[in-house]
Structure formats: structure tokens, C-alpha cells
Amino acid sequence: MARVPYIDDQSNPELKPVADRIRAERGGRVLNLYRVLLNSPKLAEAWLQFFTVIRQQCELPAQYRELAILIIAVINGADYEYRHHVSFALAAGLTQAQLDELPRWRESALFDASQRAVLDYAESMTRTVHVPDAVFEAVARHFDPRQTVELTATIAGYNLVSRVLEALKVDHE
């Protein structure tokens, strides 16, 4: 059970505008993550806007975004985050075999050079925050500055997601 209440937007009419926007941008549902965030409506609204930009309005190819999100979930032990992104990762062109290899990606032959750069960058940002020059240079060889900034914001943002999910013990739907 979550450490804070799940907000039922149906019994809180003042939440209708933000809840309707969440439904419109997240497949018609208010997931448990958003039900927790609705304890702070302004925060829920800002969160939705930020992650809508990351997921739907950036130029970074979806495959790399989802690869970064999943390795973050693996490292942080964020099962909710992982489960919610598997279908997006598969739809973006990653394979189930690749997803299965994420805990051992360094030893795996299933990832190409650009994917390995993303995985290394995400791991560095997640585990130590500080990114070695060699890791960043590998990212820069595969992504232009805009995509690099988008990848960096994605990694930072989804570390936020996993930390909120795990600290508040948000349950699966």
C-alpha cells in the first residue's frame, strides 16, 4: 500500500481539469502514480507536462528513450516503472531478448554501439551522477546536441520517477 493516499479524482471535482488532462495524455486512465501525485495538484500538472514533452515531443528516438528508462528501473529496483515501459520499449523496436539482458548489458552482444552508449550514460548518471568524459564522448558520437540534452533530461527525469515510486511505495494497478 502506498505511503500517501491514492486520490480519487471522481470525488474531488476541483481535480477534474488536471485529471481529464492526465486521461487524455496517458491512455484514458489515471494511473496510481498520478493518483499519488494528485495529493499535490499543481505538482501533478507540472509532472504531466514535463513527461509528456519527454515522451511525445522530443526528437530523441523512442528506442533510446525507452532503453534509458528501463535500465534506470533495473538499477533502481523500480518494478512499477519497468513494467509500465516494457510495451513502449518493444513497440520502439527493442527486443524481449535485449530487455532480458539489461542486468548484464555490459557482457551482452545484443546491443549496438549507440545503445551501449545510452546504457553506459544512464548507468553513470543513475549510480554516481557524475559522468566520465569517455562515457559522454561515446554519447556525443551517436547523438547531436539536442538529442544529447533530451537523453540527459530523460535519464534525470526517470530517476525522479523511480525515486518517487519507490519512496512512496506506489502499487501496481
Side-chain angles (χ1 to χ4, degrees), residues 80-152:
Y80 182 105
E81 183 176 43
Y82 186 89
R83 286 192 199 183
H84 276 271
H85 282 271
V86 166
S87 63
F88 298 121
L90 295 171
L94 295 169
T95 67
Q96 186 61 55
Q98 287 175 308
L99 303 189
D100 294 343
E101 286 290 302
L102 283 174
R104 298 164 301 284
W105 72 267
R106 288 186 186 279
E107 294 82 36
S108 177
L110 297 179
F111 300 99
D112 67 26
S114 60
Q115 292 168 330
R116 296 180 79 72
V118 167
L119 289 164
D120 205 11
Y121 192 50
E123 186 171 303
S124 291
M125 285 184 65
T126 301
R127 290 193 191 278
T128 66
V129 181
H130 303 281
V131 176
D133 289 342
V135 172
F136 186 83
E137 289 163 6
V139 168
R141 280 193 295 275
H142 298 283
F143 301 97
D144 66 29
R146 179 179 180 152
Q147 292 170 330
T148 300
V149 168
E150 292 172 353
L151 176 61
T152 305

Side-chain angles (χ1 to χ4, degrees), residues 3-125:
R3 291 178 162 162
V4 298
Y6 291 115
I7 301 300
D8 175 13
D9 66 280
Q10 301 297 323
S11 60
N12 293 287
E14 70 278 4
L15 297 177
K16 184 174 177 13
V18 67
D20 286 349
R21 189 163 162 230
I22 292 167
R23 281 187 187 84
E25 295 181 26
R26 293 296 181 271
R29 299 173 45 201
V30 179
L31 300 172
N32 282 348
L33 171 59
Y34 282 98
R35 292 180 61 213
V36 163
L37 292 171
L38 282 170
N39 280 282
S40 175
K42 291 287 187 190
L43 178 62
E45 192 169 20
W47 184 289
L48 177 67
Q49 181 177 354
F50 178 65
F51 287 100
T52 295
V53 169
I54 285 177
R55 289 180 55 195
Q56 300 172 17
Q57 299 170 13
C58 284
E59 290 183 5
L60 179 70
Q63 163 192 171
Y64 301 113
R65 178 191 68 235
E66 295 304 323
L67 189 59
I69 292 167
L70 290 179
I71 194 63
I72 291 163
V74 167
I75 293 166
N76 291 336
D79 190 59
Y80 182 105
E81 183 176 43
Y82 186 89
R83 286 192 199 183
H84 276 271
H85 282 271
V86 166
S87 63
F88 298 121
L90 295 171
L94 295 169
T95 67
Q96 186 61 55
Q98 287 175 308
L99 303 189
D100 294 343
E101 286 290 302
L102 283 174
R104 298 164 301 284
W105 72 267
R106 288 186 186 279
E107 294 82 36
S108 177
L110 297 179
F111 300 99
D112 67 26
S114 60
Q115 292 168 330
R116 296 180 79 72
V118 167
L119 289 164
D120 205 11
Y121 192 50
E123 186 171 303
S124 291
M125 285 184 65

